[in-house]
Amino acid sequence: MTDARSAVMVATTRHPWGGVVRVGLLGGVVAVYLCLVGIVPTFAERPLISGAISLGHTALAMAAVFSGYLAARRAPAGNVQAVAAGALAGAIAGSALALLVVVGEVVDVRAVMLQASPALYDLLTLGMGLAGFWIPAVAGAVLAGAAAAVSILPSSYRLPLSWGLVAVVVLGLFAGLLRTPMLTGALSGVARFLFASDGLTPVGAVITFVVAIGTNVLQRRVLVRQRIAEMPATRRRALLAPAIVAGLLIVLVLPLSLGGFFAQVIALVALYVLMGFGLNITLGLAGLLDLGFVAFFAVGAYTVGLLTSPGEFGIAQWPFWAAIPFAALIAMAFGAFLGLPILGIRGDYLAIATLGFGEIIRILAGSDLLKQWLGGPRGILNIPKPIDVPPDHFLAGPHQIYYIALACAALVAFVAWRLRDSRLGRAWIAIREDEDVAQALGIDLVQTKLLAYMLGAAFAGLGGGIFSALVGSIVSSSIQLFVSINVVAIIIVGGMGSIPGVVVGAAFLIGVPELFRELSSYRFLFYGIALIAMMRYRPEGLLPSRIVRRELHVPDEVAAPGAPVNGSAAG
Amino acid sequence: MPLLVAEGVTKRFGGLVAVSNLDFEIEQGGIVSVIGPNGAGKTTFFNCIAGFNRIDEGTITFDGLPIYHLRRDKIAHLGISRTYQNIRLFANMTALENILVGLHHHLRSTWIGAVLGTRHVREDEARAHQEARRLLQFVGLQGKGDMLASKLPYGDQRRLEIARALANSPRLLLLDEPTAGMNPAETQQMTEFIRRLRDELGITILLIEHEMRVVMGLSDRITVLDHGERIAEGTPEQVRANPRVIEAYLGTPAT
C-alpha cells in the first residue's frame, strides 16, 4: 500500500498534494455534471431508503466516495495524510457544488442550464437554499474523508464495510422488484418490515447492512472459497449440480411470481439474449461486424405480423407457431440477398454497409411506398398471442413470451455451440484471424461468411417475430437503429463469443434501464460510459470466452520467443 | 510434362516491375529453388502462383490447367499449398486446430449436420482429428496439439505451418524461406525434413531460400532472379559457376 502510494508520488513529480487536488477537481466536475444534465434531480425522485436518502443523493455521495478513495491513494505516506487527502478532495469536489448553488441562486442560469433549478439547489443544500451553500462542501469532505479512512483499513474491515454499503444500495434499487412477489407469499411480514413501497425502510437498511457485513465476515472466517478450491474435482462437481438446479429454478420459476411489468422486462431481456446469441455467430465467431441487425429483426417482425394478424393488413391469419419459422426463413433469405453483394468488403467498410442496409429497411418500413402493405407508422395491429389462454392463467401476458424467447435462446445457444466446434466454426474463426491465409487453405470466403451472416439474420428474424407477438403489434417506430446498437453493445459488454456474457450483457444493458425508468432519458449516456469503461478497463467483456481472453490478456506470452506469428504479407 | 509452367509472367506494382517476363517450370517430384538478392521478386512470384497477386501478363498452368485467374481457394483445391516468409499461423487457435483448418476442404460435414450431430459428421470429425494428429507427429510436434500456436517456439511454428499446408494433401508445396531465423542445427533438420517431404510423400517442392547450403544441398534445379528477371537457371553446379549470379550477389565480377 505504502509502496504503491510512493510509486504514484514518484510519478507525479510536482507538489505532493497536486494529485489530490486534481482528484478533487475531477470529482467536482463529475458532481456538477451529474447535477446539470439532470441526473441528480431525476434520481432524487426515487428514494433508496424511504424517507431518508434518495438515489440522487446517493449518486453525489458516490462521486465523493470515489474522490476520497482515489485521493487516499495519491496522498503522501501516512494514515493521517490519507484521511486528510480524502477530506480535501471531497471538500474541493463539494465546493464545486457549493459554487454552483451560489452562482445559481444569485444569477439565474436556467436560460442556459435547464436543470439548474431551485429544486436542485434545495436538494444540494438539504432545503436551506443560499444560506446552506456550504453544506455540499462539508458533506463532501466528511464522506470522502470517511471513504479515505475506510480505504486504508485492513481488508478484514474494509471489505465487509464496502460489501454492506453495496448491499444496501443494490437492495434499495431492487426493493420494488423484490417486494411485490414477497407480499403475496408467506414472507409478506418480512417484506413490509424491510421494504417500503419505494425503497428500503430505514430499519430495513440497517438490517441489510448488518446482515451483509455478517455474512461477509462469516464467509471469510469459514474460508469458503479456499475450501471449495481444495476440494477434489468430483466433490466440486457435486456442488455444481445443486447450483445449476437453483439457477434453473430461478430462471424458470421465479418469473411466475413477478408482476406484468417485470415479466415484460424479462421477456425483453430474454429476447435480446436470443438475438445476442444470433449476432454472436456473425460477430463473435466469424468476426463480421453487422450493424444492420435491425433489418432482419424488421423482416421477422413484419412477417409474423402479416401472417398472423386478423386486422386490415393481415394476409393469412395463421397461428403464431406456423408463422415464426417463416420469420426466420425469410429473414435468412434477406440475409443471403443483402449479404452476397457486400461480404467481399472487409472490416469497417462492412460495418458501414450493413449500417446502411439497416437504415434502408427502417426507412422503408415507415415509408408511404409500403404503407398500403405494412401500415406505415400505424403498423400492423392485433397480432395474437402465441398461446391462447384465459386471462387468469399463469401464462397469460408476457410470461409466455418470456418462456418462448428463453426456449429459442437455448436453441440458438445450442446451435452456436455445436457449430463452434465444427468444421464450419473453425473456418469462421480462421477467417476472423487471417482472411487471406484462410482462403489460401481452401476456404471459400464468400460462402462461409454468407452462412454466418444468414444464420445471424435468421435469429434476428426469430427475435423480431417474437417481439411482434410480445407487443401485439408491429409499427414502423419499433424499427430503430437502436435495436442493432443494443445487440452489438450487449456482445461487447458481455464478452465476444461468450454465451454467459450475452446473458449478463442483456441483463445489464436491457434489463437495468427498463427497471429504472428514471434512467431512461440518460440511457445513451450510460451506454456510452459503459462502452468506454469496458474498452478501457476490460476489453474482453464481463464474462469473456476462453479464446478472446487469451487474445487480449496474455500479451507477454504472445510476444514470447516465437514472435513473428501472423506477420503482414511481405512482397 | 512439367507440373507447373509459367510463361512470360509479368507483375507490376504501379511503376515498379516486380516480376518481368519470367519463364519457369518445375517437374513432378522435383525440388526447385528460387534465389536472388532481396527485392528480386521471389515472394511476388510465389504470390502470383498461389493467387495472392494477379499477374499482368503471361500464363501460369498447373498440371496443364491455367490457374493465373483463379481465386486462392480454388488454387488450393487443385493441390497447391504454401507457407509464408513471416509465419502466418492462426495465433489464437491451438496447433491441432490450425491443422484442422487446413483439412477444411477435405471434410464434408454441412452446418445442419454439425448442429444435429449426425453420425456422418462425428465420423468425419474423428477422421479429421486422427489425420491432424498424424500430421503433428509427422512434423515432430506430437504432444503439442493443444498448445496455442502463438506459444510454440519459433522452429515449431515453422513446422506447424508446414503441417497445416500438408493438411491440404498438396501436389506442389511452396516454401517461403523455411529456414529463416534458424540456427545451423535447426537448419540442418529442416533441410532433411524437406527432403523427406519429397521422398516419402512425393510432393513437388518450390523453395525460396537464402541459406546457400540448404539451396545447394536440396535443389535439383535453381532459378536465379534479379530485379524481377531470370538471370540464370540450371543445376546447382551450373548456377554456382555462372558469372552473372556471382555478380548479382557480390556486385563485382569474379576474380
Side-chain angles (χ1 to χ4, degrees):
Chain A
M1 185 82 202
T2 320
D3 283 350
R5 234 185 284 154
S6 51
V8 172
M9 283 307 308
V10 173
T12 53
T13 48
R14 279 167 285 184
H15 193 275
W17 290 83
V20 175
V21 173
R22 270 200 300 279
V23 168
L25 288 174
L26 189 67
V29 169
V30 170
V32 171
Y33 180 78
L34 288 175
C35 289
L36 288 184
V37 298
I39 289 179
V40 170
T42 318
F43 280 20
E45 284 157 27
R46 173 154 181 162
L48 190 71
I49 299 172
S50 189
I53 297 176
S54 77
L55 202 55
H57 282 129
T58 312
L60 288 177
M62 267 155 64
V65 165
F66 277 113
S67 307
Y69 171 73
L70 292 175
R73 294 176 42 170
R74 282 165 177 70
N79 291 341
V80 180
Q81 283 90 331
V83 176
L88 174 65
I92 293 173
S95 302
L97 289 174
L99 192 67
L100 174 68
V101 172
V102 173
V103 171
E105 291 278 10
V106 177
V107 194
D108 188 4
V109 290
R110 288 193 79 173
V112 192
M113 303 284 184
L114 208 60
Q115 300 286 351
S117 64
L120 172 67
Y121 306 139
D122 279 350
L123 198 75
L124 292 176
T125 57
L126 304 176
M128 288 175 68
L130 187 54
F133 76 92
W134 48 273
I135 288 179
V138 173
V142 171
L143 279 169
V150 169
S151 76
I152 54 172
L153 285 176
S155 67
S156 55
Y157 294 100
R158 178 164 44 96
L159 290 181
L161 277 174
S162 320
W163 183 240
L165 283 176
V166 169
V168 170
V169 172
V170 170
L171 220 58
L173 285 175
F174 286 96
L177 177 62
L178 293 168
R179 184 173 180 260
T180 322
M182 280 168 78
L183 277 179
T184 54
L187 293 168
S188 69
V190 181
R192 286 212 179 78
F193 193 58
L194 285 178
F195 303 124
S197 60
D198 51 0
L200 287 166
T201 59
V203 183
V206 173
I207 293 177
T208 307
F209 187 61
V210 171
V211 169
I213 288 180
T215 41
N216 190 270
V217 169
L218 206 64
Q219 185 219 346
R220 302 166 135 278
R221 283 280 160 77
V222 189
L223 301 170
V224 175
R225 287 225 181 122
Q226 199 180 333
R227 284 199 192 178
I228 291 179
E230 282 166 3
M231 268 178 206
T234 47
R235 287 225 15 226
R236 228 182 303 166
R237 231 171 286 144
L239 272 181
L240 198 62
I244 289 174
V245 170
L248 277 180
L249 276 180
I250 289 174
V251 168
L252 291 178
V253 179
L254 192 68
L256 288 176
S257 64
L258 296 175
F261 171 67
F262 292 117
Q264 181 100 18
V265 171
I266 56 166
L268 205 58
V269 170
L271 198 63
Y272 271 99
V273 168
L274 155 65
M275 293 197 286
F277 287 165
L279 186 63
N280 224 340
I281 295 177
T282 320
L283 176 59
L285 287 179
L288 305 172
L289 182 49
D290 178 6
L291 291 180
F293 212 59
V294 69
F296 310 117
F297 176 87
V299 170
Y302 276 104
T303 303
V304 166
L306 288 171
L307 290 179
T308 63
S309 170
E312 65 176 307
F313 299 107
I315 53 173
Q317 293 194 42
W318 287 1
F320 172 83
W321 300 105
I324 195 72
F326 283 91
L329 284 176
I330 294 176
M332 200 171 183
F334 261 77
F337 178 70
L338 297 185
L340 257 180
I342 60 168
L343 284 175
I345 313 176
R346 293 184 187 202
D348 305 345
Y349 304 105
L350 179 71
I352 299 297
T354 55
L355 186 68
F357 276 136
E359 286 299 280
I360 290 170
I361 298 276
R362 181 181 71 81
I363 290 165
L364 276 180
S367 68
D368 287 343
L369 182 68
L370 297 177
K371 199 172 175 181
Q372 47 179 322
W373 294 290
L374 301 181
R378 276 190 306 130
I380 303 172
L381 308 176
N382 299 325
I383 295 171
K385 291 275 171 243
I387 306 168
D388 193 17
V389 289
D392 56 339
H393 192 273
F394 75 99
L395 278 182
H399 285 107
Q400 54 170 291
I401 303 293
Y402 170 70
Y403 288 111
I404 291 169
L406 206 62
C408 289
L411 175 78
V412 179
F414 176 77
V415 169
W417 169 66
R418 272 293 176 82
L419 286 179
R420 194 189 56 197
D421 293 327
S422 75
R423 157 182 184 259
L424 196 62
R426 288 191 298 264
W428 283 335
I429 297 172
I431 288 175
R432 197 189 66 194
E433 295 250 319
D434 191 333
E435 196 169 311
D436 296 337
V437 173
Q439 191 184 26
L441 289 170
I443 293 170
D444 185 331
L445 290 184
V446 170
Q447 191 190 324
T448 312
K449 284 180 177 182
L450 190 63
L451 193 52
Y453 196 66
M454 283 167 67
L455 283 173
F459 296 135
L462 193 63
I466 297 173
F467 174 81
S468 67
L470 171 70
V471 181
S473 64
I474 179 67
V475 295
S476 64
S477 61
S478 299
I479 310 305
Q480 289 178 348
L481 172 65
F482 199 37
V483 175
S484 308
I485 307 239
N486 264 335
V487 182
V488 175
I490 283 171
I491 292 184
I492 291 173
V493 168
M496 222 183 277
S498 153
I499 285 175
V502 169
V503 178
V504 170
F508 185 69
L509 289 181
I510 305 298
V512 172
E514 288 290 330
L515 285 181
F516 304 116
R517 285 274 143 165
E518 295 84 352
L519 286 177
S520 58
S521 21
Y522 304 105
R523 205 174 170 140
F524 290 107
L525 179 66
F526 281 95
Y527 262 53
I529 293 172
L531 286 180
I532 292 170
M534 290 306 294
M535 287 295 114
R536 174 69 185 77
Y537 297 105
R538 215 176 148 83
E540 74 275 28
L542 291 173
L543 290 174
S545 74
R546 197 168 43 97
I547 291 182
V548 177
R549 191 161 37 210
R550 64 197 188 198
E551 263 172 49
L552 290 171
H553 268 246
V554 279
D556 46 343
E557 282 163 292
V558 171
V565 160
N566 230 331
S568 58
Chain B
M1 190 178 76
L3 184 63
L4 185 90
V5 181
E7 281 174 349
V9 169
T10 299
K11 174 67 197 172
R12 299 184 197 94
F13 293 108
L16 176 80
V17 185
V19 177
S20 171
N21 196 22
L22 180 67
D23 294 330
F24 177 87
E25 57 179 60
I26 179 166
E27 292 294 329
Q28 172 87 42
I31 297 181
V32 172
S33 293
V34 179
I35 64 170
N38 286 325
K42 307 181 297 281
T43 297
T44 303
F45 178 52
F46 255 42
N47 285 340
C48 292
I49 298 173
F52 280 63
N53 289 340
R54 287 268 163 275
I55 59 177
D56 295 312
E57 284 164 34
T59 58
I60 302 176
T61 57
F62 178 70
D63 205 12
L65 217 69
I67 58 164
Y68 53 91
H69 59 282
L70 292 179
R71 270 199 333 247
R72 276 174 285 215
D73 49 325
K74 300 290 177 211
I75 293 173
H77 293 178
L78 290 175
I80 300 181
S81 288
R82 69 169 296 182
T83 65
Y84 301 85
Q85 188 177 352
N86 355 40
I87 302 172
R88 288 172 82 174
L89 290 167
F90 302 118
N92 297 300
M93 300 174 92
T94 65
L96 197 74
E97 284 167 344
N98 265 279
I99 300 180
L100 286 169
V101 173
L103 286 164
H104 179 89
H105 166 59
H106 296 275
L107 303 179
R108 284 285 155 262
S109 59
T110 61
W111 73 272
I112 293 177
V115 170
L116 298 178
T118 57
R119 215 183 83 195
H120 176 74
V121 168
R122 286 202 308 273
E123 286 169 0
D124 210 33
E125 277 292 295
R127 261 201 311 277
H129 277 82
Q130 200 183 353
E131 173 67 8
R133 273 195 215 92
R134 195 186 64 75
L135 282 167
L136 269 179
Q137 182 145 21
F138 183 75
V139 299
L141 291 176
Q142 59 272 32
K144 295 183 179 172
D146 290 331
M147 281 179 76
L148 278 186
S150 55
K151 291 192 180 163
L152 290 171
Y154 180 76
D156 286 355
Q157 290 190 9
R158 284 257 175 235
R159 289 161 176 277
L160 178 59
E161 210 186 24
I162 293 177
R164 186 178 68 179
L166 290 177
N168 185 35
S169 313
R171 295 169 61 197
L172 174 65
L173 181 60
L174 313 177
L175 298 175
D176 199 342
E177 297 195 29
T179 69
M182 288 185 170
N183 65 31
E186 288 172 327
T187 302
Q188 181 59 32
Q189 273 182 2
M190 181 56 80
T191 309
E192 275 154 27
F193 177 67
I194 293 171
R195 192 176 286 119
R196 268 179 71 204
L197 291 179
R198 194 261 308 262
D199 296 347
E200 291 179 22
L201 304 178
I203 300 171
T204 310
I205 287 167
L206 179 53
L207 194 69
I208 293 178
E209 188 51 68
H210 277 301
E211 183 60 54
M212 276 310 135
R213 213 168 339 160
V214 178
V215 172
M216 294 303 167
L218 269 177
S219 313
D220 303 326
R221 300 192 76 83
I222 296 173
T223 291
V224 189
L225 296 187
D226 191 19
H227 296 108
E229 289 178 32
R230 191 177 81 181
I231 56 169
E233 202 278 331
T235 61
E237 290 71 28
Q238 292 167 342
V239 166
R240 210 194 318 247
N242 188 315
R244 282 196 69 190
V245 176
I246 297 163
E247 187 188 329
Y249 268 87
L250 300 178
T252 51
T255 49

